[in-house]
Amino acid sequence: MLRPERNVGFLRLLATAVLGLLAVAACNSTTPSTTTTSTVIKIGILSDCLGDFGSFFNDDLGGALAVLAAHYGGKASGPLPKDGMTGAVIAGKQINIVGFGCSDSTASKAIEETRRLVEQLGADIMIGPLSGDEGIAVANYAKTNQPNKTFLNGISGAQDATLKVQAPNFFRFNPDGAQWSSGLGAYAYNKLGWRTAAVIGDDYAFPYTSLAGFIAEFCAVGGNVTQRVWPPLGTTDYSSFVAQLNPTTYDGLFVGVGGAGLITFLKQYQQVNGSLKTQHIMGNTFWPDPQLLHAIGTPMVGAVAASGIAADDTSAQTTAYKNELAIYPATQKDAASVFTLGYWSAMTALGLALTAVNGDISGNQKALQTQLAKTVVDGPYGKISLDSNRQAVFDNWIVQITAPATSGGDPGIHTILRIPNVDQTFGGFFSPTTPAPDRTNPTCTKKTPPPWVGNEVPVTFGP
Amino acid sequence: MIAGPGPRSRSSRIPQWVALGVLALFLAGAPSVVDSFTLSQILTKALWLGIAAASLIFLSSYGGMISLGQTGIYAVAGFTMANLVHAEGGKNLGWDPVAATAAGIVVATAFGLLCGAIASRSYGIYFLMITLAISVIVFYFFAQVTTLSGYGGIRSVTPPAVIGNPVLNPLPLYYTALVASILVYVGIRYLARTPFGIALQGIRDDPARMQALGYNVALHRALAFGVGAFIASIAGILSVWYTTQVSPGGVNVAQTINILIIAVVGGLYRLEGAWIGALVFSLIDNYSRVWLPNVGDWLGPERFETVIGVIFLVIVLASPGGLVGIWESVWARRNRAMRGPVEGSGTVADVVDEAVEPHAVQSRR
Amino acid sequence: MSSQFDLRIVPRLVLALAGAAVVAWIAYKGLQDGRIFWIVTLNGITLAALFFVVSAGFTLIFGLMRVVNMAHGSLYLLAGYIAFTIQTNNYGVSSNLLSGSPATVTSWIVPLVIATGVIGVVGVVMQQVFLRWNQGQDLRQALITIAISVILADQMVAHFGGIAESIQQPAAWPDSVQLFGVRYGFFRLVVVVGAAVAIGALLFLVIKRTRFGMIIRAGVDDRAMVSALGVNIQLVFAGAFFIGALLAGLAGALGGTMIAVQPGNDSAFLLDSLIVVIIGGMGSLGGAAIGSVALGLVNSYADVYLKFGTTDLTNYAILLTFVLVVAMLAVRPLGLFGRPA
């Protein structure tokens, strides 16, 4: 038991410690300017530097900062994007990157980092976050707590972040997970002849959305989804789930397993089922990512996936985009990554809008927000505009994995179809009142197919 | 085992409650000294994290039980409350926030009593593992039962009207957390002097002897765990109001370890250590992102976990009494240097060691 | 008097009934679809093999030194990363997996051996620097190893990134084998299970038939007496810790080939080791074997067979595992074959 005299000692210690620490905190705390100074615009960029997507941190930042370097005079402070950038000027206003938020794909950390950037460091405009759950949380925060600041999404792809939350100051210039799967359902039914399909995806928001896009379209044109398998959070071993997928019971399998698990899953699926029959397997937007394609390998040749990126496009547009990224060579190598593109689109849109309003962020940034809603980004892979809910409408691409150009190299990507003007609602299939995608939703119903079914445009790029 | 009277400090005549009162007044005045971000992201966070750590330190310091289950229990409180009020995601039952708070605390305390009943017969490492399993079960439960956890979290949880919107106006939440912390601290101190508290400390020191004396050891430990659960549930409710949302990702194994780190850094056997540790943790969490220099891949603004892990390791190696213990031994050494050796006491190290880890000292004998 | 109903029989009856119900359910499901049953059972057995290798080390360290090495999972993961790095950088094996990888037997064995050895050394160093001088303070040692695991986990993310990597098995080895009409992964079934069996046999021989093993057995029973008898107990401890870490390292290289090397594996396999030794009993190798099989089978069956009609409870499989652990700890805290301190 603690004796009285020691108790006082502790309290004295406590008082001294708190005094000291408060003094430190007071000296170091900066009062964020609530009034915008007329010559500086503060921007914060939030991404994941930990967790599953932590390795894309520099790609995300690089995509955004490269825009400032290429068009607005930004100078890199170091070889890596996370070293920072100074000297950018848009419409006569100095751009001050107040900080980079480092989250770990959880909503709570994303909110903490957003608050640090906005409330402590005084960001006027935020770009980010990265993951699905984070996007919904940040959109809510923007709507409820910071209506006078502007938030542009990084690459978060959960449907609800715009469809349900509808924050007037949250702008998403990248498609949601469902949009990224557009075109695949109809392709499976019409071109591959699938009538029944099984789906597998990780048990959290983004795969729900990604698979929902496939299911909505596949079922709308008449297909039937017979099995849905959801490996829970933290699965490292997919063997039990592979066991549940019996290829004789379905025409095709749509794989929405992401990142880390995809390699393991495909490996184990092949071991149990023999070779991967690529007419009967299909992937979502995770597949054409360069870092993951490096690991997938030649057995996947022939498989079809969807992508927001037509990686083999060599048009002037795409070349210009890749050149813009030259300031960060590592990021430029990953130009075909959706992560880079998402952050690039956000910063491009912001630059265009700020220029159009002459850098005016006064009056609760209303002028900027109105302008952003009308901004069209002429991206490397098509135009990106916003719908009435500030959600991107864009062109999706169906790609096919091709044999490596050199033996021992990575497989390539051959774009075969363009899916024009994909909107978030899938032509009315999804609305603010439809249940959010989850383990059982959307249900498989035959409906009017989305407007792009039947309007796919075959494309061929390059030699 | 009983050491001598120990070094006497000069101001032993100042009643404890006066010192506490001065400190409370000081903290009450903090809002006029610091800006609202520090108030919210550092101080308020330190206050509720401190309450969570205090529940752990209560159990370890007075009950001799190091528990990793506090995060699971405060998750139960937070999720219960979030499901009952208006929020986005979850059950959204629309209860009055105050009633929902009470319900959350009641449910979590009941859950804690149940866990305590299960764990009451285990000691040491086994107790640590049961409580770790409890936190992990709670995490996976909420991660899988998405109707209760809102598919990635329950957002925009409505706090009571008196709290308002903690993001736009952090003051009411700060004062609530401050008052709660003071009540928790005073309450635990009071409890320690009651027959129950004294019996608990006896059980901490020698369970076999207490059993022989006729005390129901398992019951006492289970009840103590319930008290710890009550305290943890307060922290859980405050945490939900603070972040305006609750999600499985915020109550995972990493958070369990964080609470342990806070308690150990502050001082596992000193109640004040809970808030000291929490304050240090919040400061490092926030400022490491700005101040940490980049040293190759080893160090950088993202390497907060490394920094806190190293501090944790150093504290465990050097001073089991945590930061409070370090201060205590420095102060005691100063007093001893001024007064010369005190009759009847061993070395300062013995005095400190006896206070910080009486059980371990006994087991070494 | 003797006709008084013994209340203690009630929980045992309940347990027995529950066990019978579970077996009946699995048998029923198994008969419905034999192919899935075989695959799932093999999944469980192969997982159990991996669990055994990693938890044998854990239980040895605890049984002898009363050290709960919470950094055991970190050692497992670090071994995987080291083996992967050596295979990729020194042998140029591209992570073009699934494609009949260009790895050779040499470029798989050498990284495995090196990684295992390095981890063994890391383990001994960890023990000598951090754990040797505070023996007996088991809670404090648990805290120390927790701190080490936190630091290691963060540093591994910093150095190796967050993407999952995979160690390539030798190209000469087949991808899968046929067993009872079912195709199954060769590496899992032959190499991992074979390694586990070999290690189990080796450990059994060492523990039961060598002098070193005899000292270990005696030390598990009564440390003070062994020391009093003039044995250099510190050397024995270091040796045992070395073996324990070696096993974790070997498991890491095997697991990295069988599944993947990715962040999160450290806490996952630590929890798995804890569960295995809780079920089997601290300090008992036989217990570790039984615990591994139990955990592997429960994991695999629950993932697939927790479906009753249209109600799909398979997402709660992981909960089931932990609930069983808590039940075991509450009912029989020392596990099946454990002994009190």
Side-chain angles (χ1 to χ4, degrees):
Chain A
M1 190 137 72
L2 304 163
R3 295 168 216 275
E5 56 268 36
R6 277 198 213 145
N7 285 344
V8 180
F10 296 148
L11 287 170
R12 198 178 327 121
L13 125 81
L14 186 67
T16 324
V18 173
L19 253 171
L21 288 164
L22 273 181
V24 167
C27 281
N28 282 295
S29 63
T30 54
T31 313
S33 52
T34 45
T35 57
T36 55
T37 56
S38 55
T39 54
V40 179
I41 298 181
K42 298 187 186 170
I43 302 183
I45 308 184
L46 170 64
S47 174
D48 280 2
C49 74
L50 297 170
D52 280 344
F53 302 106
S55 28
F56 298 108
F57 191 56
N58 277 307
D59 280 350
D60 308 324
L61 302 183
L65 295 178
V67 176
L68 293 179
H71 297 285
Y72 303 107
K75 307 260 178 301
S77 313
L80 285 178
K82 69 175 183 171
D83 298 324
M85 178 166 280
T86 54
V89 173
I90 304 182
K93 299 287 172 68
Q94 242 185 339
I95 300 297
N96 180 4
I97 309 281
V98 293
F100 300 124
C102 164
S103 181
D104 60 359
S105 78
T106 62
S108 37
K109 189 49 101 178
I111 292 292
E112 260 188 48
E113 284 294 278
T114 307
R115 292 183 66 178
R116 182 176 69 88
L117 290 169
V118 172
E119 296 172 33
Q120 185 182 27
L121 300 175
D124 300 308
I125 302 171
M126 281 291 304
I127 298 184
L130 185 144
S131 88
D133 289 340
E134 294 176 329
I136 303 175
V138 169
N140 263 303
Y141 170 80
K143 178 169 85 167
T144 319
N145 295 311
Q146 300 287 356
N148 302 325
K149 309 231 169 170
T150 305
F151 291 74
L152 291 106
N153 188 44
I155 192 60
S156 152
Q159 200 183 57
D160 285 6
T162 44
L163 187 64
K164 299 278 167 69
V165 176
Q166 300 181 342
N169 55 339
F170 185 83
F171 299 85
R172 181 150 61 177
F173 280 91
N174 64 277
D176 70 20
Q179 288 172 286
W180 265 324
S181 303
S182 60
L184 287 175
Y187 188 88
Y189 192 88
N190 294 324
K191 294 287 191 319
L192 296 178
W194 296 9
R195 293 295 177 265
T196 56
V199 301
I200 179 167
D202 300 313
D203 197 25
Y204 71 102
F206 181 73
Y208 295 153
T209 313
S210 172
L211 266 51
F214 170 80
I215 294 171
E217 200 175 298
F218 186 68
C219 295
V221 299
N224 187 22
V225 172
T226 54
Q227 197 183 4
R228 307 185 193 202
V229 180
W230 303 104
L233 269 178
T235 300
T236 44
D237 179 32
Y238 288 85
S239 40
S240 327
F241 307 100
V242 167
Q244 297 176 49
L245 294 167
N246 187 345
T248 57
T249 60
Y250 49 78
D251 292 330
L253 175 68
F254 184 80
V255 178
V257 173
L262 181 58
I263 304 170
T264 319
F265 171 77
L266 287 174
K267 182 157 77 157
Q268 292 172 342
Y269 189 82
Q270 191 201 33
Q271 280 173 353
V272 172
N273 293 308
S275 64
L276 286 166
K277 302 178 185 53
T278 50
Q279 294 285 305
H280 299 283
I281 198 167
M282 193 178 257
N284 67 353
T285 189
F286 284 127
W287 285 24
D289 190 272
Q291 286 195 33
L292 290 166
L293 214 51
H294 182 63
I296 295 179
T298 45
M300 295 314 302
V301 169
V304 158
S307 176
I309 292 178
D312 49 347
D313 185 349
T314 49
S315 64
Q317 201 98 20
T318 344
T319 322
Y321 166 66
K322 289 186 184 136
N323 289 338
E324 269 187 40
L325 300 173
I327 182 173
Y328 295 118
T331 310
Q332 188 185 41
K333 233 168 28 95
D334 284 338
S337 158
V338 287
F339 297 101
T340 315
L341 181 63
Y343 280 79
W344 178 91
S345 307
M347 187 62 93
T348 304
L350 182 63
L352 290 171
L354 277 175
T355 311
V357 298
N358 280 319
D360 176 21
I361 55 169
S362 65
N364 300 332
Q365 302 192 12
K366 278 293 165 281
L368 173 65
Q369 292 177 3
T370 317
Q371 183 61 36
L372 267 173
K374 305 189 280 196
T375 305
V376 174
V377 172
D378 216 351
Y381 307 110
K383 289 204 194 318
I384 305 173
S385 59
L386 294 183
D387 66 13
S388 55
N389 211 8
R390 297 155 295 281
Q391 166 63 37
V393 176
F394 82 127
D395 291 344
N396 202 22
W397 306 92
I398 304 295
V399 301
Q400 193 165 35
I401 300 184
T402 55
T406 60
S407 94
D410 293 341
I413 306 172
H414 181 60
T415 313
I416 52 179
L417 284 179
R418 175 168 78 94
I419 315 290
N421 294 328
V422 176
D423 75 295
Q424 188 181 42
T425 64
F426 272 55
F429 203 96
F430 300 118
S431 75
T433 49
T434 53
D438 60 32
R439 292 179 192 150
T440 49
N441 283 307
T443 51
C444 194
T445 42
K446 194 167 187 331
K447 271 191 182 192
T448 325
W452 54 82
V453 172
N455 293 320
E456 304 92 341
V457 179
V459 291
T460 340
F461 292 119
Chain B
M1 181 187 112
I2 314 288
R8 299 193 83 86
S9 61
R10 244 181 306 176
S11 34
S12 57
R13 275 174 299 239
I14 299 179
Q16 176 189 349
W17 60 268
V18 169
L20 183 61
V22 166
L23 181 62
L25 271 174
F26 176 79
L27 285 174
S32 44
V33 180
V34 298
D35 68 78
S36 82
F37 176 80
T38 308
L39 190 71
S40 159
Q41 294 287 71
I42 312 278
L43 291 181
T44 313
K45 184 166 160 187
L47 284 171
W48 73 258
L49 275 176
I51 297 177
S55 73
L56 200 162
I57 293 182
F58 164 71
L59 287 172
S60 66
S61 162
Y62 294 101
M65 315 183 253
I66 299 191
S67 156
L68 288 179
Q70 309 310 101
T71 307
I73 291 167
Y74 91 57
V76 170
F79 271 108
T80 307
M81 189 266 290
N83 271 301
L84 291 175
V85 297
H86 271 305
E88 296 199 17
K91 286 289 190 204
N92 200 4
L93 292 175
W95 281 29
D96 172 46
V98 177
T101 304
I105 294 180
V106 164
V107 169
T109 308
F111 177 69
L113 280 168
L114 178 65
C115 294
I118 296 175
S120 56
R121 277 168 234 279
S122 304
Y123 293 82
I125 285 294
Y126 294 97
F127 184 83
L128 192 79
M129 287 194 299
I130 285 193
T131 51
L132 176 63
I134 289 171
S135 276
V136 173
I137 288 177
V138 170
F139 165 72
Y140 275 114
F141 176 78
F142 284 116
Q144 295 308 319
V145 183
T146 42
T147 47
L148 288 181
S149 67
Y151 291 109
I154 302 179
R155 297 169 295 276
S156 303
V157 177
T158 317
V162 70
I163 305 254
N165 184 333
V167 179
L168 294 177
N169 185 9
L171 269 182
L173 184 62
Y174 171 74
Y175 283 123
T176 311
L178 183 60
V179 167
S181 298
I182 293 176
L183 288 176
V184 164
Y185 181 81
V186 169
I188 293 179
R189 271 284 147 79
Y190 171 76
L191 188 64
R193 292 187 218 285
T194 61
F196 172 77
I198 295 182
L200 188 65
Q201 290 169 81
I203 289 171
R204 170 198 70 197
D205 291 336
D206 199 335
R209 194 181 293 176
M210 292 299 285
Q211 184 85 31
L213 284 171
Y215 285 90
N216 188 338
V217 170
L219 181 65
H220 272 87
R221 297 181 97 232
L223 286 175
F225 201 83
V227 171
F230 175 76
I231 301 168
S233 59
I234 296 175
I237 303 282
L238 285 172
S239 80
V240 177
W241 291 339
Y242 171 77
T243 50
T244 71
Q245 54 109 46
V246 60
S247 61
V251 293
N252 53 7
V253 174
Q255 182 70 355
T256 304
I257 302 288
N258 281 339
I259 303 288
L260 177 71
I261 291 178
I262 289 173
V264 168
V265 166
L268 202 53
Y269 299 93
R270 299 276 192 276
L271 194 56
E272 298 81 9
W275 287 275
I276 301 269
L279 185 58
V280 169
F281 185 88
S282 301
L283 283 170
I284 295 181
D285 192 5
N286 196 61
Y287 288 103
S288 70
R289 292 166 203 284
V290 183
W291 287 346
L292 273 183
N294 271 303
V295 179
D297 271 334
W298 298 90
L299 207 57
E302 309 98 55
R303 301 273 76 82
F304 159 71
E305 289 289 330
T306 300
V307 171
I308 205 75
V310 167
I311 293 178
F312 180 41
L313 185 62
V314 166
I315 296 275
V316 177
L317 290 174
S319 168
L323 290 176
V324 181
I326 291 176
W327 180 277
E328 165 66 9
S329 63
V330 164
W331 196 267
R333 205 165 298 163
R334 171 192 162 263
N335 277 346
R336 185 165 156 249
M338 281 168 45
R339 300 211 177 298
V342 178
E343 197 178 275
S345 73
T347 62
V348 170
D350 278 341
V351 169
V352 172
D353 268 328
E354 175 264 317
V356 306
E357 216 174 74
H359 201 56
V361 168
Q362 259 211 315
S363 67
R364 272 202 292 272
R365 296 261 151 99
Chain C
M1 278 304 150
S2 58
S3 62
Q4 191 175 34
F5 186 62
D6 186 359
L7 273 175
R8 277 176 306 167
I9 220 168
V10 172
R12 288 188 203 161
L13 257 175
V14 169
L15 229 54
L17 278 171
V22 167
V23 171
W25 176 252
I26 292 179
Y28 164 66
K29 284 293 214 178
L31 287 168
Q32 268 188 340
D33 186 337
R35 175 184 167 274
I36 287 190
F37 176 75
W38 265 123
I39 294 181
V40 172
T41 307
L42 287 175
N43 287 342
I45 305 264
T46 50
L47 267 181
L50 189 62
F51 290 153
F52 174 72
V53 178
V54 72
S55 26
F58 189 78
T59 200
L60 187 65
I61 292 174
F62 183 84
L64 184 59
M65 289 173 268
R66 297 285 148 210
V67 172
V68 176
N69 184 11
M70 303 288 267
H72 204 70
S74 313
L75 293 176
Y76 167 94
L77 184 58
L78 186 58
Y81 276 125
I82 293 176
F84 171 78
T85 311
I86 295 177
Q87 195 185 55
T88 319
N89 291 349
N90 293 51
Y91 288 93
V93 174
S94 89
S95 50
N96 217 340
L97 77 142
L98 299 185
S99 60
S101 61
T104 63
V105 177
T106 320
S107 67
W108 180 75
I109 290 272
V110 170
L112 180 140
V113 168
I114 295 181
T116 307
V118 167
I119 293 302
V121 169
V122 168
V124 175
V125 167
M126 185 171 87
Q127 189 248 348
Q128 294 293 307
V129 171
F130 294 110
L131 300 173
R132 176 180 169 147
W133 51 273
N134 47 33
Q135 266 149 22
Q137 301 173 48
D138 39 356
L139 279 177
R140 187 173 186 177
Q141 291 185 322
L143 292 178
I144 291 175
T145 47
I146 290 178
I148 293 175
S149 75
V150 167
I151 299 172
L152 278 177
D154 196 46
Q155 286 299 309
M156 281 193 278
V157 167
H159 283 97
F160 299 111
I163 294 264
E165 310 281 9
S166 200
I167 303 174
Q168 307 303 306
Q169 72 170 61
W173 293 357
D175 217 27
S176 46
V177 289
Q178 288 270 23
L179 190 70
F180 301 122
V182 155
R183 178 186 256 111
Y184 202 76
F186 167 82
F187 187 82
R188 284 178 75 116
L189 191 53
V190 176
V191 179
V192 176
V193 173
V197 168
I199 283 170
L202 195 65
L203 282 173
F204 177 80
L205 285 173
V206 167
I207 298 281
K208 290 277 193 245
R209 299 261 190 272
T210 68
R211 183 179 144 77
F212 181 66
M214 187 175 64
I215 295 173
I216 289 188
R217 270 183 290 140
V220 171
D221 275 340
D222 193 336
R223 211 173 348 186
M225 185 59 84
V226 171
S227 184
L229 285 172
V231 175
N232 185 347
I233 200 77
Q234 289 302 333
L235 202 58
V236 175
F237 282 176
F241 214 100
F242 178 70
I243 294 178
L246 219 58
L247 288 170
L250 178 64
L254 287 174
T257 319
M258 170 171 149
I259 310 175
V261 189
Q262 67 195 65
N265 275 358
D266 48 354
S267 33
F269 277 89
L270 173 67
L271 285 175
D272 289 327
S273 304
L274 278 172
I275 294 174
V276 166
V277 299
I278 286 171
I279 298 176
M282 295 279 197
S284 159
L285 278 174
I290 294 188
S292 306
V293 172
L295 180 63
L297 287 177
V298 166
N299 260 348
S300 292
Y301 286 136
D303 268 339
V304 178
Y305 288 138
L306 266 183
K307 281 203 241 280
F308 308 104
T310 48
T311 327
D312 183 350
L313 297 176
T314 55
N315 290 92
Y316 305 125
I318 191 104
L319 268 179
L320 187 67
T321 314
F322 281 101
V323 167
L324 288 176
V325 167
V326 171
M328 181 59 120
L329 271 172
V331 162
R332 207 192 153 90
L334 294 172
L336 291 173
F337 297 113
R339 291 162 231 242

